[in-house]
C-alpha cells in the first residue's frame, strides 16, 4: 500500500513510525504548507515525494490511501477533497470542529464507498477490547452503571513541559486560539472509551464545564486562558443504563490515565490505561458475593494503523468509522449547549 501523510506536525511522526513498521506499506509522499517542515520530515523518514499543497499531491495521485494529520479545523476541507478523489482516509481525531461538518464527511465517505477511519488511539488498548467482548457475551449481565474518567495533571506538573511558557500548551487553554478545552481535547477519547467499552449508544447528556483561574487576569501574552480545564457529565445510555464521565487537567498525581468501570446486574469490569500500561479486572460469577476482583490477561490486538492497512487492502470497512466519530461529536456539541442552558439534552447518538 502506497501511503500519503497529510500534515507533518508532532502526531505525523507517530504515523510515520507506525505505518513504516507495517510490512507492505510504503510512505511515498508528505504534504505540509510549510516547505521547510515538510522537507525536514520527508528527509527524516526517507519519504521520496514532498508537497506544499494537497492539490499538488492529488494532481500527482500516485498513492493508495492517506493519513490526515492536519490541525483539527483543516480535517473537513482536506478530507472532503480526498473523498472526492476516491482516496481512503485515516483521519486524526476529532473528525471535525462540529457535528455538522463531521456528519457531512461521514455522508460523503459512505456515498463514495471508500474506507474511512478515525484514529481513536485508545482502541489499541487490548484491555478495552476484551472488556467490550465480555459485555457483549453477557458475562456481566445487563449494564446498569458506567463510570469513566480521563485524568491529566499538566496544569500542575511539568512532566511534559511548562504550560506557562510553551505555546504548545497555551493554545489548548485559549478559546480564541481554537481550543474547546479539555472537552475538545480528550472528550472524544473518554466518550469512546466509555460507550465502546460498554457497547452502548448515548441517549441523553447533561454536562458542566469549568475553567479555573490560572494567571493574573487569566491571560498570558496573547492567550486568554478561558477554555475549560475540567468537565463532568452524566449520560443516559440507550438501554437505560446511567453513566458518569469526567476529565480534568488538574488531576494531581495522574500524568495521563483513562479508567472505565462497567457495572452489570451479574458482574463488573474495570479497565485502567496509563503510561505504565493497561490493566483489566473483573468481578464475575461466585466472586460477586464477596466483591472479589481478579486481574485478567487481555492479550494483544492489532492497532488502528494495522487495521486501516488491512481495510484498504481488502476494501472492507472497519471501525472506528467517520459515522461513529460524528456520533461522538454530536454528544460533545450538545455537552457545550447543555452547560450553557444548564439542561439535559437528547443526543440519540450511535456511539457504541
Amino acid at each position: 500500500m502506497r501511503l500519503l501523510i497529510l500534515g507533518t506536525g508532532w502526531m505525523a511522526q507517530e504515523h510515520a513510525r507506525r505505518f513504516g513498521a507495517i510490512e507492505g506499506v510504503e510512505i511515498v509522499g508528505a504534504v505540509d504548507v510549510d516547505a521547510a517542515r515538510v522537507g525536514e520530515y520527508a528527509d527524516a523518514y526517507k519519504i521520496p515525494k514532498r508537497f506544499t499543497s494537497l492539490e499538488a499531491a492529488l494532481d500527482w495521485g500516485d498513492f493508495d490511501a492517506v493519513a490526515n494529520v492536519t490541525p483539527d479545523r483543516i480535517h473537513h476541507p482536506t478530507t472532503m477533497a480526498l473523498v472526492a478523489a476516491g482516496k481512503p482516509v485515516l483521519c486524526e481525531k476529532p473528525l471535525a470542529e462540529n457535528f455538522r461538518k463531521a456528519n457531512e464527511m461521514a455522508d460523503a465517505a459512505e456515498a463514495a464507498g471508500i474506507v474511512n477511519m478515525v484514529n481513536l488511539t485508545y482502541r489499541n488498548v487490548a484491555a478495552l477490547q476484551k472488556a467490550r467482548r465480555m459485555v457483549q457475551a453477557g458475562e456481566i449481565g445487563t449494564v446498569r452503571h458506567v463510570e469513566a474518567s480521563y485524568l491529566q495533571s499538566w496544569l500542575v506538573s511539568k512532566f511534559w513541559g511548562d504550560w506557562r511558557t510553551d505555546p504548545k500548551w497555551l493554545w489548548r487553554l485559549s478559546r480564541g486560539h481554537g481550543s474547546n478545552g479539555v472537552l475538545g481535547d480528550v472528550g472524544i477519547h473518554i466518550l469512546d472509551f466509555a460507550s465502546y467499552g460498554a457497547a452502548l449508544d448515548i441517549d441523553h447528556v447533561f454536562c458542566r464545564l469549568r475553567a479555573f483561574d490560572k494567571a493574573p487576569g487569566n491571560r498570558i501574552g496573547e492567550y486568554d486562558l478561558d477554555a475549560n480545564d475540567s468537565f463532568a457529565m452524566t449520560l443516559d445510555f440507550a438501554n437505560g443504563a446511567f453513566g458518569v464521565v469526567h476529565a480534568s487537567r488538574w488531576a494531581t498525581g495522574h500524568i495521563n490515565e483513562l479508567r472505565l468501570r462497567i457495572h452489570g446486574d451479574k458482574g463488573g469490569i474495570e479497565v485502567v490505561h496509563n503510561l505504565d500500561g493497561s490493566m483489566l479486572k473483573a468481578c464475575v460469577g461466585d466472586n460477586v458475593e464477596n466483591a472479589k476482583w481478579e486481574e485478567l490477561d487481555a492479550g494483544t490486538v492489532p492497532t488502528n494503523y494495522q487495521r486501516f492497512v488491512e481495510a484498504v487492502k481488502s476494501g472492507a470497512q472497519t471501525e472506528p468509522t467517520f459515522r461513529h466519530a460524528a456520533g461522538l461529536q454530536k454528544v460533545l456539541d450538545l455537552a457545550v449547549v447543555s452547560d450553557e442552558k444548564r439542561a439535559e439534552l437528547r443526543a440519540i447518538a450511535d456511539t457504541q
Side-chain angles (χ1 to χ4, degrees):
M1 188 186 86
R2 294 169 59 83
L3 181 72
L4 179 79
I5 296 182
L6 177 61
T8 60
W10 175 80
M11 193 61 190
Q13 297 177 35
E14 178 74 359
H15 280 250
R17 288 190 291 265
R18 294 283 195 149
F19 280 117
I22 300 174
E23 185 177 356
V25 174
E26 181 183 4
I27 304 175
V28 296
V31 185
D32 198 296
V33 294
D34 187 319
R37 186 166 57 198
V38 72
E40 292 173 3
Y41 178 83
D43 289 343
Y45 295 101
K46 297 179 173 57
I47 301 171
K49 291 283 188 177
R50 63 280 316 263
F51 305 91
T52 55
S53 72
L54 176 57
E55 292 77 14
L58 287 171
D59 286 343
W60 172 59
D62 194 13
F63 54 93
D64 303 312
V66 182
N68 191 341
V69 205
T70 56
D72 296 355
R73 68 183 184 280
I74 309 299
H75 290 175
H76 176 268
T78 52
T79 297
M80 293 296 285
L82 291 165
V83 169
K87 301 293 186 180
V89 182
L90 171 66
C91 186
E92 266 303 321
K93 66 82 190 171
L95 182 59
E97 298 168 274
N98 55 54
F99 172 67
R100 180 184 62 79
K101 290 183 178 180
N103 196 52
E104 184 179 349
M105 294 161 74
D107 286 344
E110 289 170 0
I114 62 167
V115 169
N116 60 92
M117 283 183 66
V118 177
N119 193 28
L120 296 171
T121 53
Y122 296 107
R123 292 290 185 94
N124 302 334
V125 175
L128 177 68
Q129 297 288 351
K130 185 172 178 65
R132 175 181 169 87
R133 292 195 299 270
M134 291 175 69
V135 171
Q136 291 176 320
E139 293 187 39
I140 64 169
T142 301
V143 175
R144 300 299 193 196
H145 190 88
V146 178
E147 306 169 61
S149 62
Y150 195 141
L151 303 180
Q152 297 180 323
S153 59
W154 57 266
L155 285 174
V156 182
S157 163
K158 296 183 178 67
F159 183 84
W160 285 327
D162 190 343
W163 64 267
R164 298 169 186 81
T165 58
D166 191 342
K168 177 177 64 179
W169 300 109
L170 280 169
W171 84 265
R172 296 172 186 269
L173 304 173
S174 176
R175 295 171 64 186
H177 285 75
S179 176
N180 193 20
V182 70
L183 181 73
D185 196 15
V186 305
I188 192 169
H189 280 312
I190 196 59
L191 281 177
D192 185 62
F193 210 72
S195 58
Y196 181 77
L200 293 171
D201 291 328
I202 296 171
D203 203 32
H204 287 78
V205 59
F206 176 75
C207 183
R208 292 298 307 276
L209 306 171
R210 183 65 52 82
F212 296 93
D213 292 340
K214 292 180 284 295
N218 282 309
R219 184 179 180 88
I220 294 179
E222 65 183 84
Y223 299 92
D224 286 316
L225 310 180
D226 56 354
N228 58 84
D229 303 321
S230 299
F231 76 76
M233 65 172 68
T234 57
L235 304 172
D236 287 346
F237 290 102
N239 77 330
F242 193 65
V244 180
V245 178
H246 66 101
S248 181
R249 294 164 169 169
W250 288 100
T252 307
H254 298 272
I255 299 298
N256 192 77
E257 180 180 276
L258 293 86
R259 186 180 297 266
L260 172 64
R261 295 185 177 101
I262 310 168
H263 304 282
D265 58 7
K266 295 181 181 179
I269 299 170
E270 181 175 11
V271 178
V272 180
H273 179 75
N274 54 38
L275 298 186
D276 295 324
S278 303
M279 179 190 68
L280 172 65
K281 295 195 301 183
C283 177
V284 294
D286 294 339
N287 287 339
V288 171
E289 296 302 327
N290 57 9
K292 181 181 178 182
W293 290 78
E294 294 183 349
E295 190 167 343
L296 306 178
D297 181 4
T300 60
V301 295
T303 66
N304 288 343
Y305 307 95
Q306 292 169 318
R307 293 189 300 106
F308 178 67
V309 171
E310 288 305 311
V312 172
K313 288 180 176 178
S314 67
Q317 182 62 53
T318 190
E319 289 284 341
T321 63
F322 286 7
R323 181 64 62 196
H324 173 80
L328 292 171
Q329 191 61 51
K330 182 179 184 182
V331 177
L332 292 171
D333 287 3
L334 289 173
V336 175
V337 179
S338 171
D339 178 67
E340 292 171 349
K341 295 185 174 182
R342 299 292 193 270
E344 180 183 73
L345 300 176
R346 191 173 188 188
I348 318 177
D350 298 327
T351 56
Q352 66 171 305

